[in-house]
């Protein structure tokens, strides 16, 4: 449900020791793999506390900029950026996971590195603008779901200073804030004309959450149905109960021949993936 992962920060300098590429983000991966018993399992790969960025390059008018990170037992991720006279844009995202990592893939049938290359779908960004996306974004390809959030990135930095001009992703609203644990206060609908202060102690949700009906389609056919009421009980500094509201929750995902993924996102930094 709630993402637990390490943040990555990459600050690449040019020959004059000025910042030419800056990126700060969080990510995790859901990977479906074949086990020794020929069934399929889904595992989660998080970033480790130790991340290197060997191979990252600044880029210029003729060479793409590259953010490349390595982590864990032989895993790596990269994205390259190209620019024209007015904009820059992500090009290819390359993710390599190593099934020799027995902590993540204890019974993988196929051993060794596996690479997935996909096209970045983000829109072009104005040069000298920093791209910001606090809400979760996804890339799905070849039995891998890549999840990103709290993204801040600017290739081709001018004058060594990351821009204060932001280009937000479509998932963010103008008032979006960094991903935080939601409370019952910030999932309550308020008037668009009168804003009341949030209560200091959020009220406890009702015992039984409302039941939602969620479905996915593959082409014109429904391939997954779920009727469920969901309540999260989060134990961190203080216990927190959160009911998932079907009226404000968006369902998406994908159906395959052997696996299906249902994702529920209530728009308040609460994401659940089945």
């Amino acid at each position: 449900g709630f993402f637990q992962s390490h943040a990555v920060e990459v600050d690449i300098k040019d020959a004059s020791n000025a910042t030419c590429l800056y990126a700060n983000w969080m990510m995790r991966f859901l990977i479906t793999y074949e086990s020794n018993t020929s069934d399929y399992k889904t595992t989660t790969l998080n970033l480790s506390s130790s991340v290197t960025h060997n191979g990252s390059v600044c880029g210029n008018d003729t060479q793409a900029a590259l953010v490349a990170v390595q982590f864990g037992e032989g895993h790596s991720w990269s994205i390259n950026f190209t620019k024209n006279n007015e904009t820059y844009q992500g090009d290819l995202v390359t993710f390599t996971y190593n099934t020799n990592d027995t902590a993540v893939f204890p019974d993988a049938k196929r051993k060794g590195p596996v690479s997935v290359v996909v096209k970045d779908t983000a829109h072009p960004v104005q040069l000298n603008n920093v791209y910001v996306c606090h809400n979760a974004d996804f890339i799905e390809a070849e039995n891998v779901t890549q999840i990103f959030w709290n993204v801040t990135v600017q290739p081709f930095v001018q004058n060594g200073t990351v821009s204060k001009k932001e280009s937000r992703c479509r998932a963010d609203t103008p008032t979006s804030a960094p991903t935080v644990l939601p409370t019952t206060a910030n999932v309550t609908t308020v008037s668009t004309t009168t804003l009341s202060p949030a209560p200091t102690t959020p009220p406890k949700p009702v015992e039984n959450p409302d039941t939602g009906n969620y479905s996915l389609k593959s082409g014109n056919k429904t391939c997954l149905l779920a009727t469920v009421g969901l309540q999260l009980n989060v134990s961190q500094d203080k216990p927190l109960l959160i009911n998932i509201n079907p009226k404000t929750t968006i369902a998406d995902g994908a159906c395959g021949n052997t696996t299906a993924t249902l994702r529920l996102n209530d728009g308040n930094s609460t994401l659940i993936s089945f």
Side-chain angles (χ1 to χ4, degrees), residues 10 85 95 140 166 256:
V10 176
N85 293 330
F95 170 52
E140 286 188 306
E166 293 184 355

Side-chain angles (χ1 to χ4, degrees), residues 221-237:
K221 296 182 178 180
T222 299
C223 60
L224 188 152
L225 289 171
T227 300
V228 60
L230 290 170
Q231 183 182 89
L232 305 184
N233 187 337
V234 184
S235 298
Q236 294 207 348
D237 296 335

Side-chain angles (χ1 to χ4, degrees), residues 14 84 97:
D14 60 17
N84 59 28
Y97 59 94

